[in-house]
Amino acid sequence: MRHHALTILLSLVCVSLMASEYKGKVVDSQGEPIGFATVYLEQNPMIGTATNNDGVFTFEAEVPDYYQLVVSFIGYQKQLLPLAMFLDSLPVVVLKEQPIELEETVVMAKASKQKNRRKAMAQLLYKVYNRMQYDFSDATYSVKLVSDVRMESENQPWGMEQMIATVVNLPGEGREGKDSVQFVGENCKRFFQQTIRNRADTILAGDWMEDKLRKMANEVDSGVMVHQSLWSVGNIRYDFEQSMNDLKHWSVSRESESETVLTHVEKKNFLGIFKYEFKRHYIVDSESYSVLRFSEQMTMAVNIPFGYRLKNEELELLNLLNMSETDIAKFRLKKANAEIHLNTLYRNVDGHLYPAEKNMHTTAELIGTKEMVIPIEVWATQHVSSVTPNAQPLPKSRLSSRIQREIVSIY
């Protein structure tokens, strides 16, 4: 009797974990499909996929139906939905916009009030700085991270890469007192539409790309990646400390009973060849002075007097980004313009603030001497699935590990 009961129990478990197909459609508030939105299981982010140009996704998984599905795309609020609703139907998921840009800073105070304004600003910055010392822990912590980076050109999606990673943040242990980051990839997927993948395979199989180099391109170095760079951007305490005494470049951009936006503006111009403007917005609670969000905006312009002639291999990669049917045989880079917006949202864990989400949107133009323009747009988002305060640094053996990039075609 005991043997039969055990057999029945095991059979039920096997039936409940049979591979099932889950599918759905992701659209915006206007009903327009969202391509390359990511969907993955909250309990296991390694299981999931991306939507195609019609906003449709489908994947198979052997998991309990009570699992939750995360639907995410940069610039929109992520949704957490029961996995069971995507079984044997095609439900439509509507994502609501979550803008990542902030308003421009307001006009600075008049000259006659500059002295009083600077004194008031210094007092306000000091209160925010003191609160930061309390809110942000000096202890090592780790997070589990889902990082998506999507690229498009001429309003057409090119591809998207998703990285599941463990990140250990070492506060103040980097150069000049910056935070140091240990970044270990656990799973990596690169999503392509089939036509784009065919074109990429053709270009990357060129004579200049040796077999060994091509093999390395399909591997992921868990320590040096765009995903790690995105996480490392926005060292909020360090940036604040470096600029808080630069009072003439601070302003209150917006103020209400609940929130105050403090903005610092930094400008550089190197001989007219390279210039940029950097705006950092600290959104703080008007009463407690605790940071709620952190937003950065960078505008950059490059002007090369005689232009830079691209090499053959660089031309091939540029053709991959050029969505028009005409191949580029020559391109001398004359100008480049870029604008970057980055948002960081925070969560409170055991009385301290930790990053909960990072969003980035970048637009750029590469301009040739014959006024040929190649537009590029990059969207990126990073969601923290869990935070472990007072964690231990990772051993060197994990930092030197490499993982394989999985190439996924979406239809």
mmCIF file of all heavy atoms in Angstrom, residues 210-229:
data_model
loop_
_atom_site.group_PDB
_atom_site.id
_atom_site.type_symbol
_atom_site.label_atom_id
_atom_site.label_comp_id
_atom_site.label_asym_id
_atom_site.label_seq_id
_atom_site.Cartn_x
_atom_site.Cartn_y
_atom_site.Cartn_z
ATOM 1 N N GLU A 210 39.099 35.803 -37.620
ATOM 2 C CA GLU A 210 39.626 34.448 -37.539
ATOM 3 C C GLU A 210 38.708 33.571 -36.695
ATOM 4 O O GLU A 210 37.923 34.045 -35.878
ATOM 5 C CB GLU A 210 41.025 34.477 -36.925
ATOM 6 C CG GLU A 210 42.029 35.270 -37.747
ATOM 7 C CD GLU A 210 43.393 35.289 -37.094
ATOM 8 O OE1 GLU A 210 43.528 34.691 -36.004
ATOM 9 O OE2 GLU A 210 44.306 35.897 -37.655
ATOM 10 N N ASP A 211 38.821 32.269 -36.901
ATOM 11 C CA ASP A 211 37.961 31.324 -36.178
ATOM 12 C C ASP A 211 38.092 31.490 -34.669
ATOM 13 O O ASP A 211 37.111 31.451 -33.941
ATOM 14 C CB ASP A 211 38.303 29.876 -36.575
ATOM 15 C CG ASP A 211 37.884 29.574 -38.002
ATOM 16 O OD1 ASP A 211 37.018 30.308 -38.513
ATOM 17 O OD2 ASP A 211 38.406 28.615 -38.593
ATOM 18 N N LYS A 212 39.308 31.667 -34.181
ATOM 19 C CA LYS A 212 39.530 31.793 -32.748
ATOM 20 C C LYS A 212 38.852 33.049 -32.208
ATOM 21 O O LYS A 212 38.216 33.026 -31.154
ATOM 22 C CB LYS A 212 41.026 31.836 -32.450
ATOM 23 C CG LYS A 212 41.358 31.879 -30.963
ATOM 24 C CD LYS A 212 42.869 31.852 -30.742
ATOM 25 C CE LYS A 212 43.192 31.902 -29.254
ATOM 26 N NZ LYS A 212 44.671 31.886 -29.032
ATOM 27 N N LEU A 213 38.976 34.155 -32.964
ATOM 28 C CA LEU A 213 38.378 35.408 -32.527
ATOM 29 C C LEU A 213 36.854 35.315 -32.567
ATOM 30 O O LEU A 213 36.157 35.825 -31.686
ATOM 31 C CB LEU A 213 38.858 36.559 -33.417
ATOM 32 C CG LEU A 213 38.449 37.978 -33.007
ATOM 33 C CD1 LEU A 213 38.948 38.285 -31.616
ATOM 34 C CD2 LEU A 213 38.993 38.982 -34.006
ATOM 35 N N ARG A 214 36.325 34.640 -33.608
ATOM 36 C CA ARG A 214 34.887 34.481 -33.715
ATOM 37 C C ARG A 214 34.343 33.633 -32.563
ATOM 38 O O ARG A 214 33.264 33.877 -32.026
ATOM 39 C CB ARG A 214 34.531 33.850 -35.066
ATOM 40 C CG ARG A 214 33.040 33.860 -35.359
ATOM 41 C CD ARG A 214 32.743 33.639 -36.839
ATOM 42 N NE ARG A 214 33.282 32.400 -37.325
ATOM 43 C CZ ARG A 214 34.292 32.311 -38.190
ATOM 44 N NH1 ARG A 214 34.871 33.419 -38.630
ATOM 45 N NH2 ARG A 214 34.726 31.152 -38.614
ATOM 46 N N LYS A 215 35.112 32.617 -32.174
ATOM 47 C CA LYS A 215 34.709 31.782 -31.043
ATOM 48 C C LYS A 215 34.695 32.588 -29.755
ATOM 49 O O LYS A 215 33.780 32.460 -28.934
ATOM 50 C CB LYS A 215 35.666 30.596 -30.898
ATOM 51 C CG LYS A 215 35.316 29.655 -29.761
ATOM 52 C CD LYS A 215 36.303 28.512 -29.678
ATOM 53 C CE LYS A 215 35.956 27.600 -28.499
ATOM 54 N NZ LYS A 215 36.932 26.484 -28.372
ATOM 55 N N MET A 216 35.680 33.468 -29.583
ATOM 56 C CA MET A 216 35.730 34.307 -28.389
ATOM 57 C C MET A 216 34.555 35.276 -28.354
ATOM 58 O O MET A 216 34.052 35.618 -27.289
ATOM 59 C CB MET A 216 37.052 35.083 -28.342
ATOM 60 C CG MET A 216 38.272 34.225 -28.067
ATOM 61 S SD MET A 216 39.800 35.187 -28.123
ATOM 62 C CE MET A 216 39.511 36.361 -26.807
ATOM 63 N N ALA A 217 34.096 35.703 -29.552
ATOM 64 C CA ALA A 217 32.981 36.654 -29.603
ATOM 65 C C ALA A 217 31.700 36.044 -29.082
ATOM 66 O O ALA A 217 30.805 36.750 -28.628
ATOM 67 C CB ALA A 217 32.778 37.139 -31.037
ATOM 68 N N ASN A 218 31.597 34.716 -29.131
ATOM 69 C CA ASN A 218 30.408 34.038 -28.628
ATOM 70 C C ASN A 218 30.525 33.689 -27.156
ATOM 71 O O ASN A 218 29.615 33.102 -26.578
ATOM 72 C CB ASN A 218 30.136 32.767 -29.431
ATOM 73 C CG ASN A 218 29.566 33.084 -30.794
ATOM 74 O OD1 ASN A 218 28.883 34.078 -30.950
ATOM 75 N ND2 ASN A 218 29.864 32.260 -31.778
ATOM 76 N N GLU A 219 31.659 33.979 -26.546
ATOM 77 C CA GLU A 219 31.826 33.763 -25.121
ATOM 78 C C GLU A 219 31.644 35.087 -24.378
ATOM 79 O O GLU A 219 31.844 36.162 -24.926
ATOM 80 C CB GLU A 219 33.210 33.171 -24.812
ATOM 81 C CG GLU A 219 33.389 31.743 -25.315
ATOM 82 C CD GLU A 219 34.747 31.184 -24.924
ATOM 83 O OE1 GLU A 219 35.670 31.980 -24.687
ATOM 84 O OE2 GLU A 219 34.877 29.946 -24.866
ATOM 85 N N VAL A 220 31.273 34.995 -23.147
ATOM 86 C CA VAL A 220 31.022 36.191 -22.347
ATOM 87 C C VAL A 220 32.036 36.266 -21.219
ATOM 88 O O VAL A 220 32.136 35.359 -20.410
ATOM 89 C CB VAL A 220 29.594 36.158 -21.763
ATOM 90 C CG1 VAL A 220 29.374 37.377 -20.887
ATOM 91 C CG2 VAL A 220 28.571 36.123 -22.893
ATOM 92 N N ASP A 221 32.797 37.332 -21.193
ATOM 93 C CA ASP A 221 33.695 37.563 -20.069
ATOM 94 C C ASP A 221 32.860 38.152 -18.934
ATOM 95 O O ASP A 221 32.340 39.258 -19.050
ATOM 96 C CB ASP A 221 34.807 38.536 -20.478
ATOM 97 C CG ASP A 221 35.856 38.710 -19.389
ATOM 98 O OD1 ASP A 221 35.558 38.442 -18.216
ATOM 99 O OD2 ASP A 221 36.966 39.109 -19.729
ATOM 100 N N SER A 222 32.724 37.388 -17.859
ATOM 101 C CA SER A 222 31.822 37.797 -16.786
ATOM 102 C C SER A 222 32.313 39.036 -16.042
ATOM 103 O O SER A 222 31.593 39.580 -15.218
ATOM 104 C CB SER A 222 31.652 36.643 -15.782
ATOM 105 O OG SER A 222 32.895 36.297 -15.215
ATOM 106 N N GLY A 223 33.515 39.500 -16.307
ATOM 107 C CA GLY A 223 34.023 40.653 -15.570
ATOM 108 C C GLY A 223 33.980 41.951 -16.340
ATOM 109 O O GLY A 223 33.893 43.024 -15.758
ATOM 110 N N VAL A 224 34.019 41.913 -17.684
ATOM 111 C CA VAL A 224 34.114 43.135 -18.481
ATOM 112 C C VAL A 224 32.997 43.120 -19.513
ATOM 113 O O VAL A 224 33.100 42.489 -20.538
ATOM 114 C CB VAL A 224 35.480 43.258 -19.177
ATOM 115 C CG1 VAL A 224 35.594 44.583 -19.907
ATOM 116 C CG2 VAL A 224 36.608 43.110 -18.169
ATOM 117 N N MET A 225 31.913 43.821 -19.238
ATOM 118 C CA MET A 225 30.762 43.835 -20.133
ATOM 119 C C MET A 225 30.024 45.151 -20.024
ATOM 120 O O MET A 225 30.175 45.889 -19.058
ATOM 121 C CB MET A 225 29.785 42.694 -19.780
ATOM 122 C CG MET A 225 30.345 41.309 -19.874
ATOM 123 S SD MET A 225 29.012 40.127 -19.788
ATOM 124 C CE MET A 225 28.092 40.621 -21.242
ATOM 125 N N VAL A 226 29.197 45.412 -21.017
ATOM 126 C CA VAL A 226 28.365 46.603 -20.965
ATOM 127 C C VAL A 226 27.395 46.527 -19.792
ATOM 128 O O VAL A 226 27.035 47.550 -19.194
ATOM 129 C CB VAL A 226 27.588 46.789 -22.289
ATOM 130 C CG1 VAL A 226 26.609 45.649 -22.521
ATOM 131 C CG2 VAL A 226 26.859 48.130 -22.300
ATOM 132 N N HIS A 227 27.010 45.298 -19.398
ATOM 133 C CA HIS A 227 26.101 45.137 -18.262
ATOM 134 C C HIS A 227 26.766 45.623 -16.970
ATOM 135 O O HIS A 227 26.138 46.286 -16.144
ATOM 136 C CB HIS A 227 25.691 43.666 -18.122
ATOM 137 C CG HIS A 227 25.063 43.103 -19.353
ATOM 138 N ND1 HIS A 227 23.721 43.228 -19.643
ATOM 139 C CD2 HIS A 227 25.602 42.434 -20.396
ATOM 140 C CE1 HIS A 227 23.456 42.639 -20.787
ATOM 141 N NE2 HIS A 227 24.583 42.154 -21.266
ATOM 142 N N GLN A 228 28.042 45.281 -16.796
ATOM 143 C CA GLN A 228 28.756 45.741 -15.605
ATOM 144 C C GLN A 228 28.938 47.254 -15.640
ATOM 145 O O GLN A 228 28.799 47.930 -14.623
ATOM 146 C CB GLN A 228 30.114 45.061 -15.493
ATOM 147 C CG GLN A 228 30.920 45.555 -14.291
ATOM 148 C CD GLN A 228 32.283 44.900 -14.172
ATOM 149 O OE1 GLN A 228 32.567 43.948 -14.894
ATOM 150 N NE2 GLN A 228 33.108 45.387 -13.291
ATOM 151 N N SER A 229 29.228 47.783 -16.829
ATOM 152 C CA SER A 229 29.419 49.231 -16.949
ATOM 153 C C SER A 229 28.154 49.981 -16.572
ATOM 154 O O SER A 229 28.201 51.011 -15.895
ATOM 155 C CB SER A 229 29.831 49.584 -18.380
ATOM 156 O OG SER A 229 31.042 48.945 -18.721
#
